[in-house]
Amino acid sequence: MSRAERLLSLMQHLRGHKHPVTGMTLAAQMGVSVRTLYRDIASLQAQGADITGEPGVGYVLKPGYLLPPLMFSVTELEALVLGMRWVNRSTDDELGAAAKQAMAKISSVLPAEMRRELDANTLLVGPRADPPGLTEHLPQLRDAIRRERKLDIDYTDANGASSSRTIWPFALGFFERQRVVVAWCETREGFRHFRADRLANVTTQNVRYPQRRLGLLKRWRAEMGITGEQ
């Protein structure tokens, strides 16, 4: 493991502890000597990491500090490139443009060697063939989710039946051929899933729904029996 990778690993270990952790514990987790661990702590502090503590007492990293992108490994860069290419191909124009801009920002601060790895990346995403209306409402849906706003929608189900609903959108699922809004439906008084390409007349209310989206997400996961990051 290179020194740069070791410093990145140390940052990740520190982020995993909310309370002070001793240098001996950190050294054991990373497989290095305590002396090396103390040198690495000092190096991170010199780079601006807000690490407080001292030998024998423990260390804690205050939130908000990020190492520059040069700390990415080649495999991490591959994951980022593949993910951003997928976003560019498989979401709406606004999110796709944001993915391109994010990759440009990362590329601009990479050292030459890592930039060559980025430019030479050959992990590709196949072309998409969107059903009509698949991405039409996605920017509005994402905005409503971010701002926790109610939506008035007209929806046509799989049987062709149409209905008007007021929903509280809190998640958006991206599947191979579908985009699905997860929401609490006031009309049905329960969690419901709505295909984005079957939505019409989507209107954002200037009203925040009465629960936080994270709470709704947790309730929905519990009701669906979903665990982990699915």
Side-chain angles (χ1 to χ4, degrees):
M1 180 185 296
S2 69
R3 181 172 180 273
E5 290 175 324
R6 195 175 70 242
L7 292 178
L8 177 60
S9 178
L10 176 55
M11 289 289 293
Q12 300 299 342
H13 280 292
L14 284 167
R15 286 194 181 101
H17 295 277
K18 294 183 179 180
H19 304 288
V21 56
T22 65
M24 185 173 295
T25 298
L26 286 169
Q29 290 176 344
M30 297 185 57
V32 299
S33 69
V34 174
R35 183 177 179 180
T36 296
L37 186 282
Y38 290 153
R39 284 203 305 266
D40 288 347
I41 290 282
S43 294
L44 288 173
Q45 289 172 327
Q47 293 182 42
D50 195 355
I51 301 172
T52 59
E54 59 185 63
V57 176
Y59 297 92
V60 63
L61 172 67
K62 293 185 178 179
Y65 177 75
L66 296 174
L67 287 176
L70 61 86
M71 302 301 291
F72 289 139
S73 69
V74 173
T75 305
E76 288 168 341
L77 279 176
E78 287 181 337
L80 286 171
V81 171
L82 185 60
M84 291 184 184
R85 285 175 178 171
W86 186 91
V87 169
N88 184 45
R89 286 288 185 91
S90 304
T91 62
D92 56 272
D93 292 342
E94 182 182 52
L95 209 56
K100 284 185 176 180
Q101 291 167 3
M103 183 53 67
K105 288 179 181 179
I106 291 174
S107 178
S108 69
V109 293
L110 286 174
E113 181 180 350
M114 297 301 291
R115 191 178 301 114
R116 285 194 294 270
E117 289 285 349
L118 189 70
D119 294 339
N121 184 278
T122 54
L123 300 181
L124 307 177
V125 176
R128 71 186 190 188
D130 293 343
L134 184 66
T135 65
E136 179 181 356
H137 301 293
L138 294 188
Q140 186 177 4
L141 293 170
R142 290 189 287 103
D143 178 70
I145 291 170
R146 280 196 300 265
R147 298 193 298 126
E148 299 178 335
R149 291 299 191 264
K150 294 184 180 184
L151 291 176
D152 292 324
I153 64 170
D154 291 334
Y155 188 71
T156 303
D157 66 19
N159 298 318
S162 298
S163 61
S164 296
R165 315 279 190 99
T166 296
I167 64 173
W168 309 348
F170 59 87
L172 189 58
F174 289 81
F175 299 91
E176 187 66 27
R177 297 281 295 172
Q178 297 177 9
R179 307 294 176 260
V180 177
V181 185
V182 186
W184 174 268
C185 178
E186 287 188 0
T187 310
R188 299 293 187 263
E189 297 184 342
F191 292 114
R192 293 292 187 272
H193 308 108
F194 302 94
R195 278 180 46 170
D197 57 318
R198 292 178 177 166
L199 295 174
N201 301 321
V202 179
T203 302
T204 305
Q205 294 187 19
N206 192 25
V207 177
R208 171 175 277 175
Y209 46 72
Q211 298 183 38
R212 303 312 301 267
R213 67 173 182 265
L214 181 57
L216 289 168
L217 180 63
K218 288 180 177 179
R219 285 177 53 202
W220 171 76
R221 281 180 165 168
E223 189 170 302
M224 297 292 109
I226 297 173
T227 58
E229 297 184 358
Q230 295 172 287

